[in-house]
């Protein structure tokens, strides 16, 4: 019999482009059991090596086979603080599932889908009350993304009095303001926040560290500080007319939609209504912006300077974007934004790109094809070209940064005593699982210091 993976049920593509509800619907019990039964329970499991936090994958799948959902959850939780989130957004095809032996001749086990199933089962039951003895130490966490949340959770479970400072009005970092509802429902993130509050973590929103309160103020009040401020400053191309009225960063568009609910009828946050929009970039951020704008009724093109096989976004997002009618303009790059007398966007001058023989890093380089300049029409452009760290929190501190402007750490510790850092602020834009792991590692370093 053919050994195919159990495909996750999904919202129909024609329906989903008219709403922001989750696209993938998850496994039910019968589907999870069927998928788990495909796992070979390898004695030397390669999948574990592919997971950045080395979750004991065969063991949690074995518990699923035995219908021991909570035992499966405990196995995952030993390594991952945010399984309901990582099960949904990890680039599994590049990590655990890439290494699964089943994938060499057929379909890899859907490890992410099984992890999501287990976490959702766990989240559907009433949490047990934790009795935690306070150890008298106070920690301030700056930023409430996955790095800050995991650091806060582990420290709070170990008796620290933890306060999170977040500049935005809602906690969660990119999980809240960046990744759209149709990929990561906000109720999943809110559940993690509620868990922290149950552990007596205080969350102070609308608190820009560096302005409302400085790092040195925090140093006076707290024994330790963890900086999980992310990399939220968008990059632009530096081409003519990029300051035109209808050129936006993907971060701004996604924040308006996700954090401020611009797609909801009663929202007070406006969003530009364009007929045709070009999203520039090929990563998860570009896909999220393109698919969000499609749901607002726009005709969406995605322009990327390389070919389809090199799109850095998760494969499943590329498939979903194509299904939803996003038009991919590959091997093309903008040269100039075209505007009218009111500085409004009317189109772009673009050029075709081609591959060269030369290999830079692990990829062939691309170059412009002379003489292929042409114009495309549009009334909005969204730049999704990556981000830089935002160092507002470090104002007036002499914390050491590397030549890319990233915070330098040694086992999570920065150049300032008792000040730790992790996540995108240290690595540059990366992944949820890596940010979570950095927060966790810093928490255990702090715990070690207090013994
Ligand atoms: P963030 O999540 O950026 O959180 C940092 C927090 O710090 C923010 O809430 C910010 O407001 C706050 N902050 C910053 N400065 C201050 C200050 N001075 N005072 C107080 N608070 C401050 N990764 C995946 O693994 N899979 C995906 O599918 C995926 N999709 C993505 C889609 C989008 C649109 C984006 C933008 C990123 C995506 N990523 C994805 C990357 C992933 O979300 C990040 O790597 C991860 O969130 C980094 O976590 P962090 O905790 O370091 O920072
Ligand atoms: Fe795979 Fe991510 Fe889960 Fe690790 S955390 S097992 S990489 S889905
Ligand atoms: Fe199961 Fe694949 Fe891991 Fe083997 S490599 S234990 S088949 S998930």
């Amino acid at each position: 019999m053919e050994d195919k993976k159990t495909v996750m049920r999904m919202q129909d593509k024609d329906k989903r482009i008219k709403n922001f509800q989750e696209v993938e619907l998850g496994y039910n019990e019968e589907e999870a059991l069927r998928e788990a039964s495909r796992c070979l329970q390898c004695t030397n499991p390669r999948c574990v090596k592919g997971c950045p936090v080395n979750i004991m994958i065969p063991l949690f799948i074995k518990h699923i086979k035995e219908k021991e959902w909570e035992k499966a959850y405990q196995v995952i939780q030993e390594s991952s603080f945010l399984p309901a989130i990582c099960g949904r957004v990890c680039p599994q095809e590049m990590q655990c599932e890439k290494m699964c032996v089943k994938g060499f001749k057929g379909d890899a086990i859907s490890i992410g889908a099984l992890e999501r199933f287990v976490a959702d089962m766990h989240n559907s039951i009433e949490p047990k009350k934790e009795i935690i003895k306070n150890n008298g130490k106070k920690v301030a966490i700056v930023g409430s993304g996955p790095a800050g949340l995991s650091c806060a959770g582990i420290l709070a479970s170990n008796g620290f009095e933890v306060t999170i400072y977040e500049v935005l009005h809602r906690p969660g970092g990119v999980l809240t303001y960046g990744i759209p509802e149709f990929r990561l429902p906000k109720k999943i993130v809110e559940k993690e926040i509620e868990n922290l509050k149950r552990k007596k973590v205080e969350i102070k929103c609308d608190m820009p560290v560096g302005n409302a309160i400085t790092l040195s103020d925090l140093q006076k009040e707290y024994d330790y500080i963890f900086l999980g401020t992310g990399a939220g400053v968008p990059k632009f191309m530096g081409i003519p007319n990029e300051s035109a009225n209808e050129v936006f960063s993907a971060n701004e568009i996604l924040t308006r939609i996700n954090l401020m609910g611009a797609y909801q009828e009663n929202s007070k946050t406006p969003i530009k209504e364009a007929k045709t929009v070009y999203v520039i970039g090929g990563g998860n951020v570009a896909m999220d912006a393109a698919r969000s704008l499609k749901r607002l009724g726009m005709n969406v093109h995605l322009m990327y300077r390389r070919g389809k096989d090199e799109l850095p976004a998760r494969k499943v997002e590329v498939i979903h974007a194509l299904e939803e009618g996003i038009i991919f303009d590959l091997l093309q790059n903008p040269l100039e934004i075209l505007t009218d007398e009111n500085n409004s966007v009317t189109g772009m001058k673009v050029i075709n790109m081609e591959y060269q023989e030369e290999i830079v890093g692990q990829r062939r380089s691309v170059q412009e094809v002379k003489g292929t300049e042409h114009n495309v029409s549009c009334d909005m452009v969204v730049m999704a070209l990556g981000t830089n760290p935002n160092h507002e929190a470090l104002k007036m501190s002499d914390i050491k940064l590397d030549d890319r402007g990233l915070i330098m750490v040694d086992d999570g510790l920065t150049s300032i005593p008792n000040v730790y850092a992790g996540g995108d602020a240290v690595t540059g834009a990366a992944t949820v699982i890596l940010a979570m792991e950095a927060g966790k590692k810093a928490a255990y370093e702090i715990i070690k210091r207090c013994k």
Side-chain angles (χ1 to χ4, degrees):
M1 202 177 78
E2 230 183 337
D3 181 24
K4 286 273 174 210
K5 74 172 176 186
T6 311
V7 177
M8 210 187 276
R9 282 164 294 117
M10 266 193 288
Q11 262 204 83
D12 176 74
K13 65 178 177 352
D14 296 326
K15 272 196 196 145
R16 73 184 193 234
I17 56 165
K18 297 193 180 91
N19 69 55
F20 275 79
Q21 286 151 25
E22 194 169 19
V23 169
E24 295 186 314
L25 303 176
Y27 283 157
N28 58 27
E29 278 189 37
E30 190 270 316
E31 290 160 339
L33 288 169
R34 194 179 341 136
E35 186 61 11
S37 73
R38 298 180 57 237
C39 171
L40 301 172
Q41 294 291 306
C42 307
T43 40
N44 181 17
R46 297 170 49 98
C47 53
V48 177
K49 295 187 190 107
C51 168
V53 298
N54 305 124
I55 291 178
M56 288 309 296
I57 295 164
L59 183 57
F60 97 72
I61 295 182
K62 178 172 169 281
H63 289 313
I64 297 180
K65 286 186 188 178
E66 293 157 351
K67 296 194 182 183
E68 295 277 12
W69 322 129
E70 207 37 36
K71 279 191 186 165
Y73 182 79
Q74 294 312 327
V75 171
I76 300 172
Q77 177 96 110
E78 276 168 26
S79 311
S80 170
F81 190 74
L82 302 169
I85 295 169
C86 293
R88 284 172 166 82
V89 305
C90 252
Q92 292 101 0
E93 79 272 11
M94 300 302 296
Q95 301 182 160
C96 53
E97 293 178 18
K98 183 180 181 185
M99 299 290 277
C100 169
V101 284
K102 295 278 283 195
F104 296 160
K105 282 199 180 151
D107 289 346
I109 304 295
S110 297
I111 301 166
L114 289 173
E115 182 173 324
R116 165 194 168 143
F117 167 78
V118 168
D120 288 353
M121 289 300 263
H122 171 84
N123 283 343
S124 68
I125 55 175
E126 193 58 32
K128 282 194 199 128
K129 277 210 174 101
E130 263 185 276
I131 300 167
I132 305 165
K133 207 167 145 246
N134 189 305
N135 69 6
K137 300 278 184 209
K138 290 175 74 179
V139 183
I141 309 263
V142 187
S144 62
L149 295 180
S150 63
C151 190
I154 289 159
L155 290 173
S157 292
N158 282 276
F160 290 77
E161 190 183 323
V162 181
T163 308
I164 299 181
Y165 290 81
E166 168 56 54
V167 61
L168 297 174
H169 68 271
R170 271 171 63 195
V174 170
L175 307 176
T176 299
Y177 79 77
I179 304 181
E181 178 79 18
F182 56 80
R183 270 212 303 134
L184 178 63
K186 299 303 156 224
K187 64 173 196 278
I188 308 277
V189 185
E190 280 155 15
K191 188 90 193 176
E192 298 301 341
I193 311 277
E194 275 168 34
N195 288 342
L196 288 186
K197 288 186 179 160
R198 214 173 289 114
K199 290 179 187 169
K200 306 261 183 310
V201 172
E202 189 184 356
I203 305 183
K204 294 187 177 182
C205 286
D206 295 314
M207 279 298 264
V209 173
N211 281 318
I213 188 165
T214 65
L215 196 56
S216 61
D217 294 333
L218 294 179
Q219 282 175 294
K220 285 176 205 139
E221 200 183 329
Y222 295 91
D223 299 293
Y224 299 96
I225 295 169
F226 174 77
L227 300 169
T229 45
V233 181
K235 289 182 190 167
F236 284 86
M237 294 189 78
I239 56 174
N241 296 331
E242 231 174 341
S243 60
N245 296 335
E246 295 85 11
V247 179
F248 299 94
S249 71
N251 268 33
E252 177 175 348
I253 292 293
L254 289 169
T255 304
R256 280 174 184 268
I257 294 174
N258 295 318
L259 188 72
M260 322 296 274
Y263 64 93
Q264 288 156 350
E265 265 175 30
N266 57 357
S267 170
K268 293 194 179 104
T269 304
I271 191 146
K272 163 88 184 142
E273 282 179 26
K275 279 202 186 75
T276 300
V277 53
Y278 273 79
V279 175
I280 316 298
N284 287 322
V285 183
M287 297 301 150
D288 284 345
R291 296 176 66 203
S292 297
L293 294 169
K294 185 76 191 176
R295 281 161 173 74
L296 297 179
M298 299 178 200
N299 173 30
V300 185
H301 288 249
L302 187 133
M303 185 170 282
Y304 183 53
R305 61 202 294 273
R306 293 178 162 270
K308 187 170 172 222
D309 291 343
E310 289 189 277
L311 284 161
R314 295 172 77 222
K315 224 173 227 137
V316 65
E317 312 310 334
V318 175
I319 295 169
H320 288 172
L322 285 166
E323 283 173 358
E324 289 167 11
I326 311 290
I327 302 157
F328 282 49
D329 294 350
L330 300 169
L331 283 165
Q332 291 184 50
N333 210 27
L335 293 174
E336 181 182 345
I337 310 285
L338 306 174
T339 53
D340 64 13
E341 62 284 3
N342 301 316
N343 200 30
S344 278
V345 172
T346 57
M348 291 190 301
K349 182 175 172 187
V350 304
I351 190 160
N352 294 350
M353 308 292 290
E354 67 182 358
Y355 283 105
Q356 287 184 296
E357 286 311 312
E358 188 196 353
I359 295 182
V360 180
Q362 290 181 336
R363 323 193 280 184
R364 273 193 301 158
S365 57
V366 283
Q367 69 172 9
E368 295 177 350
V369 186
K370 281 204 182 93
T372 61
E373 294 88 347
H374 57 283
N375 292 350
V376 295
S377 297
C378 62
D379 44 1
M380 181 167 157
V381 176
V382 174
M383 299 292 182
L385 305 157
T387 48
N388 286 319
N390 172 359
H391 289 324
E392 194 70 10
L394 311 179
K395 262 204 259 167
M396 288 180 292
S397 84
D398 53 5
I399 207 160
K400 272 197 190 138
L401 304 178
D402 69 11
D403 48 13
R404 289 166 61 205
L406 302 168
I407 302 175
M408 291 174 77
V409 294
D410 185 3
D411 280 338
L413 185 63
T414 69
S415 55
I416 303 182
N418 298 344
V419 178
Y420 289 76
D424 282 5
V426 167
T427 56
T431 58
V432 173
I433 189 76
L434 288 176
M436 184 230 58
E437 178 68 357
K440 185 175 119 186
K441 275 198 172 141
Y444 283 117
E445 285 299 320
I446 293 173
I447 293 166
K448 220 160 60 183
R449 289 273 302 279
C450 292
K451 280 190 176 153

